[in-house]
Amino acid sequence: MRSTTAARRRSASLALLAGTALLALATTACGPTGTSTVSTKPVQNTATAGSPSGAAGAGKAPSNAKVGDTIALKGMDKGATADVTVVKVVDNAASANDFHPADGKRWIAVQFRIKNTGTAAYSDAPDNGASVLDDKGQSYSAVVADTTAGPSFPTPANIAPGDSALGFITFEVPSDAKIAKTQFGLDSGFADQAGQWNLG
């Protein structure tokens, strides 16, 4: 009788442990847990930091990032960091092949530079972590499209520590939408931090 009770308790304990492990695994697999932050502050420009005008403005908070600015981002894993720059924006980008935007839509091509500042290799599909937002706050994800704006990122993009990659990411938006911002996050957008740049 005593051995049967012990066996039941052992089975119940094992089932509880297995259930807890599955719950933890499911929570991890679902991505961010609501602690995400959006960084709008560009990395300080060292060229102006030592200038008189840079010294005079040292007490001022840096402005929100815009085209040409770099934001330092962190990934989910230790050693996963990158400096990401929005280099150029091409509105109403033309197709480089037989594929075209749907009726009533246009393509916005945003060129990003990703510099791996971490100790781990960067290997990701940058398109998955990017979006644009219109002036009403509506978000649009990337689409697979080649435009005459320039080359897209390969999938995956593999960047060794210290190296950089440059590529366009394309978004399909309504023809009358006013695109105001773009966002980018590491780890296909699942990292707890994203960068945001004003495009206007």
Side-chain angles (χ1 to χ4, degrees):
M1 183 74 171
R2 189 174 293 170
S3 61
T4 303
T5 303
R8 285 182 184 162
R9 285 182 182 165
R10 193 174 308 119
S11 294
S13 296
L14 288 172
L16 180 61
L17 285 173
T20 304
L22 286 173
L23 180 61
L25 181 61
T27 302
T28 303
C30 289
T33 58
T35 58
S36 297
T37 60
V38 177
S39 175
T40 60
K41 302 304 177 193
V43 173
Q44 185 176 12
N45 186 341
T46 54
T48 59
S51 68
S53 59
K60 295 181 181 178
S63 60
N64 289 340
K66 58 189 182 306
V67 176
D69 286 336
T70 300
I71 296 178
L73 296 176
K74 293 180 181 178
M76 293 189 294
D77 297 328
K78 184 177 179 180
T81 60
D83 282 352
V84 180
T85 307
V86 171
V87 178
K88 183 193 281 187
V89 179
V90 178
D91 198 344
N92 206 16
S95 175
N97 49 41
D98 292 335
F99 297 98
H100 299 280
D103 289 343
K105 308 275 184 164
R106 74 184 197 275
W107 284 343
I108 306 282
V110 181
Q111 189 180 41
F112 291 87
R113 177 179 288 109
I114 304 169
K115 180 176 182 181
N116 185 349
T117 58
T119 57
Y122 174 100
S123 182
D124 198 6
D127 296 27
N128 292 342
S131 63
V132 292
L133 296 89
D134 65 21
D135 59 347
K136 297 178 177 63
Q138 177 65 53
S139 178
Y140 303 92
S141 299
V143 296
V144 177
D146 292 321
T147 72
T148 57
S152 302
F153 283 107
T155 302
N158 296 304
I159 312 170
D163 287 350
S164 297
L166 185 68
F168 278 93
I169 298 176
T170 304
F171 308 89
E172 187 169 273
V173 304
S175 297
D176 60 352
K178 183 179 178 183
I179 300 305
K181 299 172 183 177
T182 187
Q183 292 185 347
F184 186 90
L186 301 180
D187 299 308
S188 288
F190 282 94
D192 289 338
Q193 179 193 22
Q196 178 174 283
W197 294 259
N198 289 336
L199 302 182

